[in-house]
Amino acid sequence: MNEKSSNDPKSLAFEFITNPKLIDRLDNIIIRYAEITQKLEDPETYKDRKLSEKLNKERSQLEKPYKLFLDYKELLKKIIDIEDLISNEKDKELKILAEDESKEYLEKKTQLQNLLLEFLVEKDPNDSKNVFLEIRAGTGGDEAAIFAGDLYKMYSKYAEKNSWNIELINVTESDHGGYKEIILKVIGDDIYGQLKFESGTHRVQRVPDTETQGRIHTSASTVAVLPAIEEIDQVDINPADLRIDTYRASGAGGQHVNKTDSAVRITHLPTGTVSECQDGRSQHKNKAQAMSILHSKLLLHEQEQQKKDTAEERKSLIGSGDRSERIRTYNFPQGRITDHRINLTLYKLEQILEGDIEQLINELKKASAG
């Protein structure tokens, strides 16, 4: 990078942003911050108290992304200098020290990029909420159920890395391993904002253990991520529109199977929306949890309807979250994962299944800016 490009905000933005809207947003922040600073340096501005208060407030909101960008710009210069030093240094010890310093700079670069991205991507009102995460085996029989178990492990590992807590809401195990269905509540900070793009159909391509001729089989599981709505009065539900069924909870067998009809399934008749819970021994507790899930589903449905007319471009980038959409393919023979919404392919399948999904999430956030 030459000196000119290293001082050009747009060129710097392209270091980690390919979405033109995000680049324009970053440019606008830099330009507007400079304009406001210049106005606040003019004594005439303070003759109008309301104007000065308004400008100070706006400057305060822009200050953090602006300073993050300056830090990022300065860091890029340091990276260029250290790379030049590594290329030209003859002393082995000094070269090793420079390489260690370069690693630190590159880690810091990733951190700053992620922080800047958080400011540039417009916030969804549900981003800060906890979530209900539903994973269901789709086409592919036993293989789909085993893959549903792989997805459960992936999200569990990611939750652990973020110090989130997981509550099991509903579990239906498969006879040959994995899950026909598993529903979790994930509790922590800004979870929906991190996981919302995971909704959709996840396809897997691999050779099953039972396959004697080495043929690759394709199966799928669906994932639905719902923001957990704590204030249930946000959605008005008429009790007459509900059908509530109780049944005996299913499980792996033995003493863990409930002997009473404690499991609860609630159906919202006008929309056909179903929620259920069989985790607790208490029917009352299961009903309350099922109602909470139902409220979340109905609110999300309502919000999606409202966004339909104004978010077509966004949906074209990231999908609507409809479960019929194939969003991602996990190809085991090639160690490859492809997100079809943003045409991103990574050859790090093993790491991703161990919960290392930050790169996927950040790329989807960038693409979703709108």
Side-chain angles (χ1 to χ4, degrees):
M1 187 183 296
N2 58 37
E3 186 59 29
K4 185 173 185 250
S5 65
S6 69
N7 286 294
D8 177 6
K10 190 164 286 193
S11 295
L12 283 167
F14 271 112
E15 287 286 321
F16 71 108
I17 299 174
T18 55
N19 188 316
K21 290 187 178 181
L22 288 187
I23 294 166
D24 288 344
R25 200 168 291 161
L26 181 56
D27 275 348
N28 290 337
I29 287 172
I30 294 161
I31 293 166
R32 183 59 181 157
Y33 186 88
E35 287 175 351
I36 294 171
T37 300
Q38 188 174 13
K39 285 180 181 177
L40 289 174
E41 288 172 352
D42 183 354
E44 291 295 313
T45 300
Y46 291 90
K47 291 179 181 179
D48 185 336
R49 187 173 62 83
K50 285 186 178 179
L51 175 63
S52 63
E53 286 178 355
K54 181 183 175 184
L55 290 173
N56 272 303
K57 185 177 179 181
E58 188 180 353
R59 187 176 187 267
S60 177
Q61 291 170 341
L62 298 175
E63 191 165 26
K64 193 157 186 180
Y66 177 79
K67 287 186 173 178
L68 279 172
F69 179 77
L70 293 184
D71 289 345
Y72 180 69
K73 179 174 154 183
E74 186 62 33
L75 183 64
L76 283 182
K77 291 178 183 175
K78 288 180 180 178
I79 290 170
I80 293 164
D81 291 341
I82 203 79
E83 285 175 350
D84 287 342
L85 179 62
I86 291 167
S87 299
N88 300 313
E89 183 57 57
K90 305 299 181 188
D91 187 301
K92 285 186 178 179
E93 288 187 7
L94 286 176
K95 194 167 187 173
I96 290 169
L97 288 172
E99 286 171 349
D100 289 342
E101 196 170 358
S102 176
K103 286 178 186 174
E104 290 178 16
Y105 286 161
L106 291 173
E107 287 175 8
K108 181 68 175 174
K109 179 184 174 185
T110 301
Q111 292 171 6
L112 287 176
Q113 287 174 352
N114 291 342
L115 285 170
L116 263 173
L117 191 61
E118 290 296 321
F119 281 100
L120 296 177
V121 175
E122 289 183 353
K123 296 288 186 278
D124 183 313
N126 294 321
D127 278 354
S128 63
K129 290 182 168 59
N130 300 324
V131 304
F132 291 109
L133 178 64
E134 303 181 351
I135 305 169
R136 291 185 175 86
T139 54
D142 292 338
E143 265 300 297
I146 292 168
F147 181 52
D150 292 336
L151 292 175
Y152 167 53
K153 178 186 173 185
M154 180 179 79
Y155 293 125
S156 297
K157 293 273 189 182
Y158 184 63
E160 187 180 328
K161 286 171 68 176
N162 285 282
S163 301
W164 298 338
N165 295 319
I166 288 178
E167 291 180 5
L168 284 174
I169 302 299
N170 204 36
V171 180
T172 305
E173 295 179 358
S174 172
D175 295 335
H176 300 284
Y179 303 96
K180 292 179 181 177
E181 174 187 84
I182 184 162
I183 301 174
L184 323 164
K185 186 174 185 181
V186 189
I187 302 162
D189 296 325
D190 301 319
I191 298 177
Y192 185 69
Q194 294 295 102
L195 293 181
K196 61 186 175 183
F197 301 125
E198 296 303 300
S199 290
T201 298
H202 296 240
R203 186 176 69 169
V204 62
Q205 295 172 328
R206 63 180 163 193
V207 180
D209 292 337
T210 55
E211 172 57 59
T212 57
Q213 297 181 32
R215 290 175 298 191
I216 296 171
H217 288 223
T218 298
S219 53
S221 292
T222 61
V223 174
V225 181
L226 307 162
I229 310 304
E230 305 302 335
E231 297 178 17
I232 60 174
D233 59 349
Q234 289 188 50
V235 180
D236 185 24
I237 298 178
N238 185 344
D241 290 339
L242 301 178
R243 186 180 73 232
I244 300 175
D245 301 307
T246 58
Y247 58 99
R248 186 165 296 178
S250 61
Q255 72 270 27
H256 299 296
V257 178
N258 290 349
K259 301 298 191 291
T260 59
D261 292 346
S262 61
V264 175
R265 181 185 296 111
I266 303 176
T267 305
H268 184 248
L269 298 173
T271 62
T273 304
V274 177
S275 68
E276 55 191 333
C277 182
Q278 59 165 315
D279 182 54
R281 298 294 177 94
S282 161
Q283 186 183 111
H284 177 76
K285 182 182 175 184
N286 284 338
K287 182 180 176 183
Q289 192 71 274
M291 278 298 292
S292 181
I293 295 171
L294 182 66
H295 276 92
S296 295
K297 287 185 174 183
L298 292 178
L299 182 68
L300 193 63
H301 175 73
E302 193 176 283
Q303 290 173 340
E304 284 299 313
Q305 289 298 110
Q306 291 171 356
K307 285 194 281 185
K308 232 170 194 176
D309 295 335
T310 58
E312 290 305 317
E313 185 174 355
R314 177 170 180 158
K315 286 181 182 179
S316 72
L317 288 169
I318 61 165
S320 65
D322 188 284
R323 299 182 201 186
S324 65
E325 293 182 2
R326 182 195 66 182
I327 64 166
R328 199 175 287 157
T329 296
Y330 302 70
N331 184 296
F332 277 72
Q334 297 179 20
R336 167 174 58 82
I337 185 165
T338 300
D339 197 294
H340 304 288
R341 295 164 294 180
I342 52 176
N343 296 319
L344 174 68
T345 296
L346 302 172
Y347 287 88
K348 49 187 291 188
L349 180 59
E350 189 176 332
Q351 299 97 304
I352 285 167
L353 289 173
E354 286 295 318
D356 184 16
I357 60 175
E358 291 88 352
Q359 186 176 356
L360 284 167
I361 287 170
N362 287 332
E363 292 300 324
L364 286 161
K365 282 182 179 179
K366 292 175 196 176
S368 74

